[in-house]
Each structure stands twice: as structure tokens, then as C-alpha cells.
């Protein structure tokens, strides 16, 4: 079932996604509030005035940008980058120790969230997916690199069909149930019946 | 002959020089590298550090899909991100009807200000846009 949609889309689209699942409204609201008030994610979207996502993608997934993926990056790796990398060094004075701690916590938390990336261009779909176990929260990052509207159909996941405008990127979150689910281009996403092991 | 070539070169650089205002964050190093490139081509660049950069981009009219680190304003036109100088000059020489500007969204590794000096630009698109949030491919590297 879809639990929340985050990222660069309009709130109207978010409402369209959750509308059929009224019985989940209370849970969805609670999760949405938790997401919106996550100081680490808020910093990720705004740090330095432009946000980390410009270089590292909307959910630290890289997204084809120069900074690459930093999902799951440790505090030690973060400190090393701030000390050594020219682009990151400029951020040292813009981030407090508390900011760095919050950003690091957010990045580490992403390590437990499998990623499915769906990129559409004039050449068709390019899909990459990580192994997913039942019960895990999954982030589906959908990018429309084309110059036409893209109708996204992920109904087997419980999402209503939605339109992604040209050059936009959408991040959907989904709590994995065991089974087989249909991605675009007839690709399948298989969720094992094993519960995820917390570590 | 040599004198006339020098004169032609001087004339060309004078014609191409633009007055540019760049909105950026003080923490952005690659923005500064892009500005250095534009200045080395003879353009006059004025830098602004707005309190809220994202709000400034929104007020200027940069579509969120096209956002990068810095926004350059030349006359009535907007130039978002690491756009090669040549694309800006081509655009300004003959702006498409209704166009608002150009953008290189995000931070492509091999774009001006991101690539090392002398490296060939590659792996990104220059996108044209208008006030109705319609987009088109202006160039591809």
C-alpha cells in the first residue's frame, strides 16, 4: 500500500495518490507529518541555499549528478568530505555541528530503504532496483527525462495512475508486501516473503 | 592582414560581452568557477547572494524541474546552471519567440564550471523554456 509520496511534486498529486485509501488517512497523516518535520531531510533539501539534492539527487540517490549517491554515508565519510573535498569544504561554515549530525542521521537512515529508480526518456525506460524484503519501506524514484507528459501506472503497488510533467522527478514511498509487482516496460519487482532483518 | 584580424577579434569580443547578474549561494564553489569562465570571455559579472536562494529562483521564474545552483540574468532572460557560454550567445543572438531562457538542470560532471579546465563538455542537455513552462532541447553535449 502507498504510505506517502514525497519529493518535487504538487500537493494536488499527493492527494490523488492517497484518495482511494481513506482508511489509511490517519496513518498517512502521521507519517506525512513525521516526514515533513524530519530536520535532516529538511536540511538536505535546503543546505547551502540550494540543497544537497542538486548534486546528489532528491533522496541522495545520485540521480546522474556530479556528487553521486550518498545514501547510507557514515558520519566519518561526511566529515572526511567536509574536510577534503573542495566543493564540500565551502559548506563547513554554513553547517553547525547539529546540522551535520542531523544530515548524517538522515543519510544513514536511507541505508535501510531500498531504492527503485525508474527513468523514462525518448529511448524508453531504464529501471534499476535493489533487493526488497517484505515489510521494508521502499523509495521509487521516477524521472521523466522526456519533453512530453508521462502517465505513470503503478496500480499493482496500490498507486493511482498519475501524470509526471516533462523533466520532473517524483519520489514515491511504498511499504513492501510479499509478491510480484508490475513496473513499467513489463519489468517485474519481486518482494521475498522473508521479513527484513533490522541491523 | 594581422592588424585586421586583431581588429576583428577585438570587435567580436566587444560585441559578445554581456552584463550578467548571477544569483548564487556564498557556499557554492562551482558557481564561482562558472563565473570565472564567463569573466574570462570578457563578460561583466555582478554577483548577488540572496538570503533565500530558492525563493529568489522562484520569484525570477525558474521552473523547479530545471533548478541548478546559480541563476544568471542577462537583460530579460534567465540562464540557470552550468550553461556553456556559446549556447548563451547563440540564444541571445536569436531568442526563440516567447522564450524565457536556458537551463542546464542539476550539476552535470562535465559541464562548464564542473569539468576541469580543458576537459570536453559532455553528458548534459541545454534546455530552453518559456513562461508557460514549456521546454525544448536547445543543445546536447
Amino acid at each position: 500500500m502507498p504510505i506517502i509520496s514525497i519529493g518535487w511534486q504538487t500537493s494536488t498529486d499527493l492527494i490523488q495518490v492517497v484518495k482511494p485509501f481513506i482508511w489509511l488517512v490517519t496513518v498517512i497523516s502521521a507519517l506525512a507529518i513525521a516526514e515533513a518535520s524530519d530536520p535532516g531531510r529538511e536540511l538536505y533539501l535546503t543546505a547551502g541555499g540550494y540543497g544537497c539534492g542538486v548534486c546528489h539527487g532528491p533522496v541522495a540517490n545520485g540521480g546522474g549528478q556530479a556528487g553521486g549517491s550518498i545514501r547510507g554515508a557514515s558520519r566519518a565519510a561526511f566529515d572526511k568530505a567536509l574536510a577534503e573535498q573542495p566543493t564540500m569544504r565551502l559548506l563547513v561554515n554554513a553547517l553547525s555541528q547539529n546540522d551535520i549530525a542531523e544530515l548524517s542521521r538522515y543519510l544513514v537512515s536511507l541505508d535501510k530503504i531500498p531504492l527503485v529508480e525508474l527513468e523514462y526518456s525518448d529511448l524508453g525506460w531504464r529501471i534499476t532496483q535493489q533487493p526488497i524484503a517484505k515489510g521494508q519501506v521502499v523509495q521509487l524514484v521516477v524521472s521523466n527525462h522526456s519533453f512530453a507528459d508521462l502517465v505513470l501506472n503503478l496500480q499493482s503497488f496500490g498507486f493511482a495512475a498519475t501524470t509526471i510533467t516533462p523533466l520532473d522527478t517524483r519520489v514515491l514511498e511504498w511499504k513492501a508486501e510479499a509478491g510480484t509487482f508490475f513496473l513499467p516496460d513489463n519489468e517485474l519487482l519481486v518482494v521475498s516473503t522473508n521479513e527484513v532483518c533490522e541491523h | 592582414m594581422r592588424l585586421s584580424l586583431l581588429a576583428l577579434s577585438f570587435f567580436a569580443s566587444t560585441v559578445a560581452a554581456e552584463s550578467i547578474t548571477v544569483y548564487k549561494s556564498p557556499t557554492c564553489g562551482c558557481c564561482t568557477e562558472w563565473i570565472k569562465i564567463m569573466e574570462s570571455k570578457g563578460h561583466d559579472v555582478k554577483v548577488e547572494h540572496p538570503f533565500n536562494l530558492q525563493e529568489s529562483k522562484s520569484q525570477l521564474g525558474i521552473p523547479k524541474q530545471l533548478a541548478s545552483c546559480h541563476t544568471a540574468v542577462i537583460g530579460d532572460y534567465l540562464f540557470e546552471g552550468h550553461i556553456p557560454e556559446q549556447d548563451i550567445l547563440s540564444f541571445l543572438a536569436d531568442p526563440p519567440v516567447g522564450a524565457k531562457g536556458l537551463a542546464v538542470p542539476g550539476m552535470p560532471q562535465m559541464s562548464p564550471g564542473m569539468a576541469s579546465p580543458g576537459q570536453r563538455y559532455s553528458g548534459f542537455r541545454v534546455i530552453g523554456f518559456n513562461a508557460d513552462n514549456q521546454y525544448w532541447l536547445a543543445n546536447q553535449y
Side-chain angles (χ1 to χ4, degrees):
Chain A
M1 288 294 161
I3 54 173
I4 187 172
S5 171
I6 60 174
W8 302 8
Q9 70 279 38
T10 63
S11 56
T12 306
D13 288 341
L14 178 63
I15 291 167
Q16 290 301 317
V17 169
V18 299
K19 194 181 284 181
F21 307 96
I22 301 301
W23 61 276
L24 273 177
V25 159
T26 304
V27 177
I28 291 166
S29 300
L31 288 167
I33 290 166
E35 180 66 39
S37 62
D38 181 336
R41 172 147 184 86
E42 188 63 28
L43 271 168
Y44 183 84
L45 295 174
T46 58
Y50 37 82
C52 312
V54 177
C55 268
H56 297 286
V59 283
N61 55 312
Q65 305 302 329
S69 173
I70 50 172
R71 288 173 79 85
S74 67
R75 172 64 191 262
F78 196 173
D79 287 338
K80 190 170 191 291
L82 287 169
E84 297 179 1
Q85 292 181 8
T87 304
M88 295 294 291
R89 277 209 306 254
L90 293 165
L91 285 164
V92 169
N93 294 329
L95 298 172
S96 68
Q97 285 301 307
N98 187 56
D99 290 343
I100 294 170
E102 288 292 352
L103 274 168
S104 181
R105 183 199 51 72
Y106 171 66
L107 294 176
V108 168
S109 75
L110 293 175
D111 197 33
K112 294 178 180 171
I113 302 177
L115 190 66
V116 178
E117 292 179 281
L118 310 166
E119 296 180 78
Y120 182 76
S121 72
D122 294 337
L123 301 174
W125 284 97
R126 180 173 174 272
I127 298 174
T128 55
Q129 51 176 295
Q130 296 175 337
I132 298 166
K134 178 185 171 186
Q136 282 187 302
V137 172
V138 179
Q139 287 182 329
L140 297 101
V141 181
V142 189
S143 300
N144 178 9
H145 298 310
S146 80
F147 290 94
D149 283 347
L150 170 67
V151 177
L152 180 68
N153 185 346
L154 294 174
Q155 288 181 339
S156 68
F157 291 79
F159 291 114
T162 186
T163 300
I164 300 179
T165 56
L167 309 178
D168 203 2
T169 292
R170 200 77 66 84
V171 181
L172 307 171
E173 286 199 356
W174 175 70
K175 188 166 185 179
E177 301 167 2
T180 300
F181 302 88
F182 295 94
L183 294 167
D185 211 20
N186 297 320
E187 189 160 325
L188 299 177
L189 183 146
V190 179
V191 177
S192 71
T193 55
N194 297 328
E195 294 280 353
V196 62
C197 297
E198 293 292 339
H199 51 273
Chain B
M1 177 66 179
R2 187 176 173 190
L3 190 63
S4 61
L5 279 175
L6 278 173
L8 187 62
S9 171
F10 175 77
F11 178 72
S13 65
T14 302
V15 169
E18 300 289 348
S19 180
I20 306 171
T21 301
V22 174
Y23 297 85
K24 62 180 275 292
S25 162
T27 64
C28 184
C30 60
C31 304
T32 305
E33 295 303 313
W34 184 84
I35 289 167
K36 285 181 189 171
I37 291 172
M38 298 304 285
E39 287 177 331
S40 74
K41 305 282 187 183
H43 303 292
D44 178 32
V45 182
K46 177 186 168 195
V47 176
E48 298 278 356
H49 291 144
F51 177 72
N52 187 331
L53 184 62
Q54 290 176 336
E55 182 62 27
S56 295
K57 286 179 187 291
S58 176
Q59 287 175 355
L60 285 166
I62 300 295
K64 63 182 173 50
Q65 288 99 319
L66 304 184
S68 179
C69 47
H70 62 268
T71 304
V73 179
I74 305 176
D76 294 331
Y77 297 108
L78 304 173
F79 299 92
E80 177 73 3
H82 292 263
I83 307 170
E85 185 227 13
Q86 190 55 52
D87 292 294
I88 293 175
L89 296 186
S90 298
F91 176 95
L92 292 172
D94 187 18
V97 175
K100 199 168 179 181
L102 297 173
V104 171
M107 303 279 203
Q109 182 75 57
M110 300 304 287
S111 59
M114 297 293 290
S116 298
Q119 284 187 307
R120 186 168 157 267
Y121 300 150
S122 64
F124 63 93
R125 300 187 293 183
V126 181
I127 310 290
F129 64 99
N130 64 20
D132 296 324
N133 284 354
Q134 293 172 319
Y135 312 121
W136 60 91
L137 183 64
N139 200 1
Q140 182 148 13
Y141 290 83

